[in-house]
Amino acid sequence: MVIPLPDRDFDPSEAAVTWKVLTEAGCRVVFATPDGHVAAGDPLMLSGDGLDFWSRVAALRHIKFLGLLLRADAHARAAYMKMQMDAAFLGPIKYLDLRVGDYDGLMLPGGHWARGMRQYLEDAHLQGFVADFFDAGRPVGAICHGVVLAARSISKRTGKSILHGKKTTALTWKLEKAAWSMMKFFGRVWDPNYYRTYLETDSEPPGFRSVQAEVSRALASPEDFLDVPRRVPDYFRKASGLFRDSTKDPRPAWVVRDGRYVSARWPGDAHVFAATFAAVLAESAIVQA
């Protein structure tokens, strides 16, 4: 299977946790980047340095509060360190060399820092590959801003987004707005839009350029965007953004499966997302056999 990445600033948790779960399940993972260069995860999400309002002072940069809360957790950082030593990660192919028939699965991780992520989200060739892969009926997983890439990928068969007619989740406006507000008022105040990949114009309502809004516009109905229902067990743990799942605790996760398509919201869903996608890949292999 294949995991496309931008040259830099992808979310380390979403990519590395999924890579770890899939490889441990026996999957052979190939990576792809725009020009075949080795990708680098978002450094702020790895170290946490630069997320607190005092971080611009060199002597205080490594003192973290918000940085500890918001960076990748220990499981994800360990997975990322291991992924960095993987031969496939160190030898990615180019987007232009992606061919649908070469892979039995496609996983689209996210990331939010516009500095690097727009390269990935706006690449026309990658969008075309994603659309063709989906049209071929092969398993696709997307998490966080990876769902934006899926939403922008237009089916040659229907002329609509590949997500049109599908149920999905993605980074919710509630979570995106909370992180954005945290940076504006308590954290990275000199770069308050760090958590927003795209910003609204003066004529657009708040949240119009959010992940949830863009993905919802691509769907057959806004109701096809599924957030955590209040009736589910562990609602606060799932919806607050204060808890992350792990291999031992799936309770914080919210993952949506629609056929061979699996989606999730943010790094806090990564372990359950990866396990669910691994199960879809296994089922697909049995069916094809």
Side-chain angles (χ1 to χ4, degrees), residues 100-230:
V100 172
D102 293 343
Y103 310 103
D104 56 8
L106 167 65
M107 185 271 179
L108 305 175
H112 51 264
W113 203 354
R115 188 183 68 162
M117 285 302 295
R118 288 189 181 184
Q119 174 194 45
Y120 165 77
L121 298 174
E122 298 172 3
D123 189 278
H125 184 82
L126 183 55
Q127 290 174 9
F129 172 76
V130 173
D132 291 345
F133 204 94
F134 209 102
D135 277 345
R138 298 179 181 235
V140 177
I143 181 170
C144 194
H145 283 67
V147 185
V148 173
L149 175 56
R152 292 179 177 182
S153 301
I154 306 303
S155 168
K156 293 184 178 68
R157 295 190 312 196
T158 67
K160 298 178 180 179
S161 168
I162 57 170
L163 296 186
H164 190 88
K166 287 289 184 181
K167 305 289 186 184
T168 191
T169 193
L171 181 66
T172 63
W173 175 229
K174 177 183 176 181
L175 290 174
E176 188 173 355
K177 184 180 180 182
W180 182 36
S181 298
M182 199 177 299
M183 288 298 101
K184 284 196 296 183
F185 301 114
F186 306 108
R188 195 177 171 86
V189 295
W190 65 94
D191 181 21
N193 299 321
Y194 164 69
Y195 271 104
R196 295 296 309 279
T197 312
Y198 297 95
L199 289 173
E200 292 74 27
T201 65
D202 292 340
S203 62
E204 293 170 342
F208 184 82
R209 299 287 176 181
S210 69
V211 169
Q212 180 173 351
E214 178 170 353
V215 170
S216 295
R217 287 193 290 273
L219 304 178
S221 168
E223 285 70 36
D224 288 340
F225 187 100
L226 303 182
D227 197 358
V228 185
R230 288 189 172 273

Side-chain angles (χ1 to χ4, degrees), residues 11-59:
D11 185 89
S13 301
E14 295 163 1
V17 169
T18 305
W19 167 83
K20 181 175 184 291
V21 171
L22 292 176
T23 54
E24 289 177 350
C27 294
R28 175 178 172 268
V29 178
V30 172
F31 291 90
T33 59
D35 298 309
H37 300 148
V38 179
D42 183 343
L44 273 66
M45 287 292 97
L46 284 165
S47 69
D49 293 348
L51 294 176
D52 290 282
F53 71 85
W54 54 75
S55 299
R56 296 196 84 179
V57 180

